[in-house]
């Protein structure tokens, strides 16, 4: 069976964008965002060799990926503290660490379970009220608290730029905060702007609809709501 054209196209566009930016395509990870997608859309992408998937809800992800051998699963949606235990047990990467209470609960679970997912701090670069994430003026202190107070490693930063603005300045801001804090990972760029994000240094891009097609769902469950 041949790979789905939309998937092949996204993979090729990532490679071209990396090369155009003088970067190695292997340094940009495609996180295929499978949230709210039917299994019929996911299976062919899995068969084509995709191994990294993003989900925004703990329960939905656990149901869908009960068989997850050899896969890397990333939580990209907001995490409630009462789901932290399951999230630590299930996910390889949690990209939505954004407040001290959550950092504390995650640190407890890491201790208890003897297992630590790789962690990203979500930054609300647009300082939007409805969006999750620490605001930029508080990012350095929060990253410091994750490391110092809670003993958590911070692999990267994640952002979702405001829909109505050009994303470039938001990606540049995230890269700047990462650089001054010695954080290597940059999770930024979605279906509409992943090539721009790669130009600004994204090490992973979270692409859903461009890979799988439009989601059949309500907006309220997306983008940090
Ligand atoms: C849904 C979602 C994506 C993927 O969005 P597309 O526009 O479909 O590529 C990426 N990141 C987050 C945090 C999301 O919630």
């Amino acid at each position: 069976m041949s790979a789905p054209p939309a998937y092949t196209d996204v993979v090729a566009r990532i490679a071209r964008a990396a090369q155009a930016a003088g970067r190695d395509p292997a340094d940009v990870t495609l996180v295929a965002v499978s949230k709210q997608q039917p299994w019929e859309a996911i299976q062919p992408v899995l068969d084509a060799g995709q191994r990294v998937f993003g989900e925004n809800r703990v329960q939905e992800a656990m149901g869908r990926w009960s068989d997850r051998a050899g896969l890397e699963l990333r939580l990209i949606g907001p995490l409630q503290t009462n789901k932290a235990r399951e999230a630590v047990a299930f996910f390889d990467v949690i990209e939505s660490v954004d407040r001290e209470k959550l950092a504390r609960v995650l640190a407890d679970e890491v201790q208890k379970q003897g297992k630590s997912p790789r962690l990203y701090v979500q930054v609300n670069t647009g300082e939007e009220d409805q969006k999750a994430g620490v605001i930029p003026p508080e990012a350095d202190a929060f990253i410091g608290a994750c490391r110092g107070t809670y003993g958590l490693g911070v692999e990267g930063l994640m952002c979702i730029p405001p829909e109505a603005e050009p994303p470039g300045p938001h990606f540049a801001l995230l890269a700047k905060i990462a650089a001054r804090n010695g954080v290597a990972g940059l999770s930024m760029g979605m279906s509409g702007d992943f090539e721009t994000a790669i130009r600004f240094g994204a090490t992973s891009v979270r692409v859903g609809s461009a890979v799988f097609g439009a989601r059949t769902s309500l907006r309220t469950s997306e983008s940090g709501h």
Side-chain angles (χ1 to χ4, degrees):
M1 206 173 73
S2 62
Y7 172 66
T8 311
D9 180 58
V10 167
V11 170
R13 285 169 61 193
I14 289 171
R16 278 199 301 272
Q19 275 152 3
R23 304 181 53 203
D24 184 344
D27 292 339
V28 183
T29 299
L30 168 60
V31 180
V33 178
S34 47
K35 69 179 187 197
Q36 298 152 7
Q37 293 288 350
W39 188 252
E40 304 84 74
I42 298 169
Q43 180 77 62
V45 171
L46 197 55
D47 291 344
Q50 177 66 24
R51 287 295 169 263
V52 185
F53 292 87
E55 291 281 351
N56 72 338
R57 292 181 165 210
V58 177
Q59 236 65 40
E60 182 188 347
M62 290 173 66
R64 174 172 294 142
W65 297 107
S66 52
D67 177 13
R68 45 82 57 79
L71 302 182
E72 177 179 308
L73 299 177
R74 298 191 175 206
L75 179 66
I76 61 171
L79 177 57
Q80 293 169 303
T81 49
N82 64 7
K83 298 264 172 60
R85 177 156 47 89
E86 285 164 309
V88 166
F90 185 77
F91 287 98
D92 301 291
V93 181
I94 296 174
E95 299 205 2
S96 49
V97 183
D98 66 350
R99 57 200 191 280
E100 291 230 13
K101 188 180 174 204
L102 178 59
R104 183 172 355 104
V105 174
L106 287 173
D108 285 350
E109 287 301 331
V110 166
Q111 282 276 311
K112 278 188 206 146
Q113 300 185 28
K115 164 186 189 291
S116 183
R118 291 143 54 201
L119 301 176
Y120 283 59
V121 166
Q122 182 173 353
V123 182
N124 184 357
T125 56
E127 304 197 22
E128 296 172 280
D129 288 338
Q130 78 279 15
K131 218 165 250 174
V134 61
I135 59 172
E138 292 169 5
D140 295 359
F142 181 66
I143 294 164
C146 286
R147 289 168 163 165
T149 310
Y150 304 106
L152 298 169
V154 178
E155 175 175 303
L157 304 183
M158 185 268 257
C159 78
I160 309 167
E163 268 169 56
E165 292 179 29
H170 295 273
F171 296 152
L173 176 58
L174 196 71
K176 196 168 117 187
I177 296 169
R180 71 175 179 237
N181 285 282
V183 172
L186 286 171
S187 172
M188 54 191 200
M190 312 190 353
S191 289
D193 56 18
F194 66 85
E195 285 145 316
T196 305
I198 290 168
R199 184 146 36 87
F200 281 93
T203 58
S204 57
V205 292
R206 309 177 309 270
V207 185
S209 43
V211 166
F212 298 109
R215 286 178 292 275
T216 51
S217 68
L218 301 168
R219 277 219 77 253
T220 48
S221 55
E222 296 175 22
S223 318
H225 288 255

